[in-house]
């Protein structure tokens, strides 16, 4: 925002988390230097979460087919 100070809202925090967690990427903003490590960790957790969810669903489907 051209060096302007902006106070983020709860909606901004949710948006940041959704964009980072889903590893969608930033087209309209980027995290400040202080927040980049947090954003990277958030993105890694998003990938791990997705992998665990897919794994659990496939495991459940596999067990269902055996019964």
């Amino acid at each position: 925002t051209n060096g302007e100070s902006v106070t983020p809202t709860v909606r901004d925090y949710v948006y940041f988390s959704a964009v980072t967690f889903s590893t969608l990427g930033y087209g309209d903003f980027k995290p400040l230097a202080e927040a980049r490590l947090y954003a990277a960790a958030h993105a890694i957790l998003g990938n791990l979460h997705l992998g665990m969810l897919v794994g659990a669903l496939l495991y459940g489907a596999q067990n269902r087919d055996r019964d």
Side-chain angles (χ1 to χ4, degrees):
T1 58
N2 300 332
E4 297 175 13
S5 179
V6 177
T7 303
T9 64
V10 171
R11 190 176 190 170
D12 294 324
Y13 291 126
V14 171
Y15 177 73
F16 173 82
S17 288
V19 170
T20 305
F21 200 69
S22 66
T23 66
L24 177 65
Y26 306 104
D28 52 350
F29 74 96
K30 63 181 181 179
L32 297 173
E34 311 81 61
R36 288 184 186 152
L37 184 60
Y38 173 76
H42 211 66
I44 291 168
L45 284 174
N47 282 323
L48 290 173
H49 179 261
L50 179 61
M52 291 173 56
L53 179 65
V54 170
L57 290 172
L58 290 175
Y59 180 77
Q62 182 181 20
N63 285 340
R64 181 192 236 181
D65 288 341
R66 288 183 183 173
D67 292 339

